[in-house]
Amino acid sequence: MLEENDRLHLQKQIEEVKKILQANRRKGIQKYALFLDFDGVIHVFYKEGTLKYEQALKRMQNHFDFVDPEALENVDRLIENYDLDIIVSSSWRYNGLSYCREYLKKSGMKNYKTVIDTTQTESYMDRRLEITEYLLEHPVYSGFIVLDDIPMTEFKGSYISIDPTEGFDEDKFEQASQVLRRYMKK
């Protein structure tokens, strides 16, 4: 929960971000960012006893990998369809950009080179503030999308709420595609 000052600061930043995105779209810029969380999005917390849970246990016996192949494939498809820059907003970012990129590559991500940055790593901040600060510091985008299991209702229209027991599944892929298509029409 954000303190009142942080909440007001976030609202102000969101308004600034909206202005930048709209101005870039008016200029014809079509550059989009995807803020990617790992845990709950591509690392799925399956319900015990389900087929996917059993498959994950088997996968982890062969090599210690938390990534759900279908969720990662959906991220890859989204990148291919919409030419996205991936910014790691997950707490995994504290391991560094090259670590995250290599981890995603080893996990089977085809488009790992599109992982271009992380949100800030100097201190702990509310993730919503980190995302808005990133967009303000990098005013090159005409739209963005957030894939996260942490509620971020302030990003209405850009936020895809992920169920951590389902991950970034086909339904969420379609929702993300709709968001990006809307940005492209504006």
Side-chain angles (χ1 to χ4, degrees):
M1 195 80 184
L2 285 173
E3 299 283 326
E4 182 65 19
N5 285 346
D6 287 338
R7 194 177 57 72
L8 293 172
H9 181 65
L10 177 62
Q11 287 174 341
K12 231 169 140 177
Q13 284 187 317
I14 288 172
E15 289 306 313
E16 285 301 309
V17 166
K18 285 180 182 177
K19 289 176 187 174
I20 291 168
L21 299 177
Q22 289 170 347
N24 286 344
R25 284 193 298 272
R26 279 194 299 272
K27 293 176 191 171
I29 296 170
Q30 290 194 354
K31 187 168 178 69
Y32 305 96
L34 184 156
F35 291 90
L36 181 63
D37 181 29
F38 287 12
D39 297 329
V41 177
I42 60 172
H43 297 159
V44 182
F45 304 107
Y46 307 104
K47 293 177 184 164
E48 196 171 338
T50 64
L51 176 62
K52 286 196 170 207
Y53 179 84
E54 298 303 322
Q55 289 170 336
L57 285 179
K58 199 175 284 186
R59 208 173 43 247
M60 284 193 260
Q61 286 173 353
N62 297 336
H63 63 286
F64 199 64
D65 184 355
F66 298 108
V67 174
D68 175 85
E70 291 173 27
L72 193 59
E73 185 178 312
N74 284 334
V75 171
D76 261 331
R77 283 188 6 206
L78 201 64
I79 294 164
E80 289 165 2
N81 292 347
Y82 298 99
D83 192 26
L84 300 165
D85 286 345
I86 307 301
I87 295 92
V88 177
S89 54
S90 172
S91 58
W92 284 62
R93 73 187 184 280
Y94 289 107
N95 292 308
L97 176 61
S98 59
Y99 175 89
C100 290
R101 190 181 290 143
E102 189 62 27
Y103 174 75
L104 291 167
K105 178 183 175 184
K106 284 181 180 176
S107 297
M109 184 179 202
K110 293 181 283 186
N111 297 296
Y112 66 91
K113 290 181 181 175
T114 62
V115 180
I116 63 156
D117 209 350
T118 68
T119 53
Q120 68 86 31
T121 57
E122 292 80 44
S123 63
Y124 175 78
M125 224 188 302
D126 185 275
R127 195 170 292 177
R128 295 165 292 185
L129 289 167
E130 291 173 347
I131 290 170
T132 54
E133 286 197 7
Y134 186 91
L135 290 166
L136 291 171
E137 291 171 7
H138 301 85
V140 298
Y141 297 103
S142 51
F144 72 100
I145 194 161
V146 178
L147 301 180
D148 211 310
D149 61 328
I150 296 173
M152 296 190 197
T153 56
E154 297 85 356
F155 294 140
K156 184 179 179 184
S158 293
Y159 167 66
I160 304 299
S161 176
I162 307 295
D163 177 341
T165 64
E166 299 292 327
F168 188 53
D169 61 12
E170 189 65 32
D171 179 50
K172 298 303 179 179
F173 171 85
E174 287 304 321
Q175 287 179 26
S177 295
Q178 287 174 7
V179 167
L180 291 162
R181 285 193 298 268
R182 272 196 309 269
Y183 271 130
M184 293 175 169
K185 288 180 183 177
K186 292 181 180 182

